Amino acid sequence: MTLRMKLRAITLDCPDPEALAAFYRRATGFEPHPGSDADFAALTSDDGLAIGFQRVEGYRAPRWPDQSVPQQFHFDFAVDDLDEAEARLLELGAAKPDHQPHDRWRVFTDPAGHPFCVVLRS
């Protein structure tokens, strides 16, 4: 029998929860959770999905594509225009690593170093 579960939240470790929440708020349009503070901040989408950001002392950012500090997971965000998304994300503080594995999507890192991808909406 399959256990029926619905994904409600994803939480990222980071050095500054409020700063990382601000980056993802500008990138996604998700709304801040009213209980957010300097140690844990969250954003919520209209459908109830939450992205949380928790402070971790001594945080070490993933090193993509180098696996000396592995990424462990990453977000994929669908967009209508890769060039437009890239320009906006870089303006918001994302970085674009030199290594790009494919031309159908683009890899970026958020201000805390977490890799994420943007892909064309299908």
Side-chain angles (χ1 to χ4, degrees):
M1 178 175 181
T2 302
L3 181 61
R4 296 184 52 90
M5 299 187 298
K6 179 181 178 184
L7 180 63
R8 296 292 309 266
I10 299 163
T11 300
L12 303 176
D13 292 348
C14 63
D16 186 341
E18 292 172 316
L20 198 54
F23 168 79
Y24 278 104
R25 180 181 186 195
R26 291 188 306 269
T28 65
F30 286 18
E31 291 297 320
H33 186 278
S36 295
D37 60 31
D39 289 319
F40 183 86
L43 302 172
T44 56
S45 70
D46 292 339
D47 67 359
L49 178 64
I51 302 174
F53 310 93
Q54 66 185 3
R55 180 180 305 281
V56 171
E57 297 304 322
Y59 171 77
R60 292 177 51 211
R63 303 213 16 122
W64 189 89
D66 173 15
Q67 293 296 303
S68 61
V69 180
Q71 66 185 3
Q72 300 179 16
F73 82 97
H74 69 271
F75 292 121
D76 286 344
F77 293 102
V79 298
D80 294 322
D81 183 302
L82 288 174
D83 292 332
E84 180 181 314
E86 178 176 331
R88 181 68 176 133
L89 289 165
L90 294 174
E91 178 182 294
L92 293 174
K96 183 180 176 187
D98 291 334
H99 178 71
Q100 295 292 314
H102 204 280
D103 62 353
R104 291 184 299 164
W105 65 82
R106 297 194 186 149
V107 179
F108 298 92
T109 55
D110 68 25
H114 304 106
F116 66 95
C117 295
V118 294
V119 299
L120 285 175
R121 191 178 319 274
S122 50

